Amino acid sequence: MQLRTDEAIGGQVQVRVTATGTEPFTVTSVAVDSPGFAPLPDRAVTAAFASGRTIDLPAPYGDAVCDRAAEPATARLTVVRPDGRTEALRVPLAAEVLGRIHEERCAVRAVLAVADVTVGDLSADGDAVTGTLTLTRAGDDDRPVTVTRLQGNVLYDVVADGLPRTLEAGESTLEVGLEFTMTRCDPHALAETKQPHLFLLGLQVAADDEVPADLPLDQAQRDELAALVDRACA
């Protein structure tokens, strides 16, 4: 499973475990093991199971390994039995969510191998924040790359100048002006938004399908947008 909070945190899914036997047990660690993701250490948890109980256990996943499929996947569980025995179990994992994440991550990686995407020069401009989206040719692949769309979210609207815009064959860089403004300032939106700095960026290489990516924002740029809330919603 992947909950909204997992998406906001990033790099995490939930392993849903159900006790189908009659004997209680406790799970003290969990990990996702998939050939499509770099391995990570087990995460310590404390989850006590009785018969019929279902608990979602948060488990991180590593970087996507794009020359391998996400399945077959397993979950590694450390289980403590009522008599104190500890068992390291490897159980089959339904991995549709991991498969989707793997496909999305690898599609974005393939686009960025043609043209890198950066955001720069974010600065306050009254009740807005302005900046620049830059595409930079990443290697020898000279296919055109198009910025098809950029979407705002619950809190922020964002306008990118003149979309769609294309980094044409033979060009090394493309710059697109950005302007962020507030969409909502009500307390409910400000308190409940889980991903305030997630903006959907559409990218397309030549005639391939559009690939949805996250607009890359570093912490300083996120802080600049947070300061916009203070100015515009005061």
Side-chain angles (χ1 to χ4, degrees):
M1 306 288 293
Q2 188 177 44
L3 308 178
R4 289 177 59 193
T5 50
D6 299 320
E7 293 180 350
I9 293 170
Q12 175 177 291
V13 292
Q14 302 287 322
V15 174
R16 175 164 290 179
V17 178
T18 299
T20 57
T22 59
E23 182 182 76
F25 60 90
T26 300
V27 175
T28 59
S29 75
V30 60
V32 168
D33 193 346
S34 163
F37 293 89
L40 293 177
D42 294 16
R43 171 174 288 180
V45 296
T46 302
F49 288 82
S51 181
R53 188 176 188 188
T54 297
I55 301 176
D56 292 341
L57 306 176
Y61 57 84
D63 292 336
V65 180
C66 292
D67 60 353
R68 301 178 184 176
E71 298 186 76
T74 59
R76 297 197 307 270
L77 303 175
T78 301
V79 173
V80 180
R81 301 298 184 184
D83 61 5
R85 288 181 297 114
T86 299
E87 296 181 65
L89 303 181
R90 187 182 294 270
V91 297
L93 184 65
E96 290 182 7
V97 169
L98 283 177
R100 173 180 55 79
I101 294 170
H102 185 269
E103 182 179 353
E104 293 171 352
R105 295 290 177 91
C106 293
V108 171
R109 187 177 297 177
V111 173
L112 296 183
V114 181
D116 191 29
V117 178
T118 57
V119 174
D121 302 323
L122 282 197
S123 60
D125 185 5
D127 285 344
V129 167
T130 58
T132 304
L133 173 71
T134 301
L135 269 64
T136 305
R137 187 72 64 183
D140 296 333
D141 191 332
D142 202 37
R143 288 179 296 168
V145 180
T146 300
V147 182
T148 55
R149 56 182 170 138
L150 180 59
Q151 293 182 191
N153 56 40
V154 172
L155 288 186
Y156 301 98
D157 186 25
V158 58
V159 175
D161 293 342
L163 296 189
R165 295 277 302 279
T166 300
L167 175 67
E168 300 287 358
E171 294 181 340
S172 58
T173 60
L174 170 71
E175 292 189 351
V176 179
L178 301 177
E179 183 182 67
F180 298 86
T181 54
M182 296 302 301
T183 298
R184 293 176 61 178
C185 285
D186 57 284
H188 177 76
L190 294 175
E192 295 299 322
T193 300
K194 298 293 190 298
Q195 298 172 286
H197 303 121
L198 183 64
F199 300 90
L200 189 153
L201 176 67
L203 300 169
Q204 183 178 22
V205 177
D208 293 348
D209 292 339
E210 180 195 71
V211 172
D214 296 340
L215 186 69
L217 297 172
D218 61 28
Q219 189 55 54
Q221 293 166 339
R222 295 181 181 200
D223 291 343
E224 191 69 61
L225 290 175
L228 174 62
V229 176
D230 296 334
R231 295 197 309 275
C233 298

